[in-house]
Amino acid sequence: MCPPNSSPIFSDLSTLTEELTFRLPKVVRVKVSSIASNFTRLFSIDTTMLSANRFASLANETGIDLEVLTKAMQLARHIGSRGREGHSVGALFAIGSLPKLRKFSTPLVLNPFKGHDAEKKSILFDENHETMAEFAWLDGAIFFNKDGVASDAGRYIQVPAGTQPKYGEGGRHLAARAISQLAECAAICVSSSGTISLYVNGKERYKVRLS
């Protein structure tokens, strides 16, 4: 057990998965090695946002760093809860292989991320989220590589002809489901109705309504 008002620390994803199956404090602190680069980070997961056990499983399944998925959901909550100019807004972003993501999309606007340093485009730094939120509100999707570095904004997803929306799906949800399958990636849809949906390989794997 952890001391009062402290967070448990797990040394790796397997420990995280096993331990959080049985106990889910509000916040856990996770120490993991980056999948894509040789470094270790210590960060927090708000388990009221998403089952940490399921989140760790999705990170392993997609090959995306756990911290990147965590920060992507944090950004989605920021967008969905704050809105813009007093109005509810939606957004769509995808995380995965950039060549695949670009293959199944076309640009709607000039790329606002082009020419900027990777550090300024990283989803891992909270100070970048406000800028990313502004670009996420553009028509189209915002793309991140598996390290969480934003590469494109305002991308129109090419949904295959004949693809039918499921019950309750809008155009943004349909685009998120389609790109997650076509590009074999993770896609997060923030709806103007106040829900966040996470798609992986064409399937909705998690959905939460903002309070």
Side-chain angles (χ1 to χ4, degrees):
M1 295 299 291
C2 301
N5 301 320
S6 68
S7 301
I9 299 179
F10 302 97
S11 60
D12 54 44
L13 290 182
S14 61
T15 303
L16 171 70
T17 301
E18 293 171 3
E19 293 292 333
L20 295 189
T21 301
F22 302 101
R23 52 192 175 94
L24 285 172
K26 184 176 181 181
V27 176
V28 296
R29 299 178 70 207
V30 186
K31 184 178 182 181
V32 297
S33 296
S34 170
I35 295 172
S37 55
N38 186 25
F39 69 90
T40 300
R41 294 178 65 96
L42 184 66
F43 62 99
S44 298
I45 296 177
D46 183 349
T47 58
T48 64
M49 179 179 71
L50 179 63
S51 165
N53 181 42
R54 189 186 309 176
F55 214 10
S57 176
L58 288 174
N60 283 330
E61 180 181 337
T62 59
I64 300 170
D65 284 354
L66 178 59
E67 186 178 8
V68 172
L69 285 178
T70 302
K71 290 295 186 179
M73 289 298 293
Q74 180 181 320
L75 176 60
R77 277 187 169 265
H78 171 71
I79 293 170
S81 61
R82 203 198 75 169
R84 192 180 194 200
E85 297 178 352
H87 300 283
S88 298
V89 296
L92 167 62
F93 36 98
I95 309 165
S97 165
L98 296 180
K100 288 183 178 180
L101 289 169
R102 290 168 177 157
K103 179 180 178 181
F104 300 105
S105 64
T106 54
L108 294 173
V109 297
L110 293 175
N111 185 6
F113 290 115
K114 186 176 182 179
H116 295 281
D117 293 339
E119 183 176 318
K120 297 295 184 181
K121 301 184 294 184
S122 175
I123 201 172
L124 300 180
F125 301 109
D126 292 350
E127 57 266 29
N128 296 336
H129 285 196
E130 190 61 37
T131 298
M132 291 174 181
E134 290 292 332
F135 293 144
W137 287 319
L138 295 172
D139 287 337
I142 183 171
F143 292 163
F144 296 88
N145 66 17
K146 290 187 177 184
D147 290 330
V149 177
S151 62
D152 302 81
R155 300 286 298 194
Y156 173 75
I157 306 301
Q158 300 168 349
V159 178
T163 304
Q164 297 297 318
K166 296 182 179 181
Y167 177 79
E169 277 189 339
R172 189 177 288 109
H173 291 86
L174 181 61
R177 177 161 59 88
I179 194 64
S180 74
Q181 182 171 25
L182 293 169
E184 300 177 315
C185 70
I188 297 174
C189 175
V190 183
S191 74
S192 56
S193 62
T195 61
I196 298 173
S197 302
L198 172 63
Y199 295 86
V200 174
N201 295 328
K203 296 181 179 179
E204 185 184 82
R205 302 293 295 275
Y206 184 77
K207 185 175 183 178
V208 62
R209 176 172 289 279
L210 297 172
S211 56

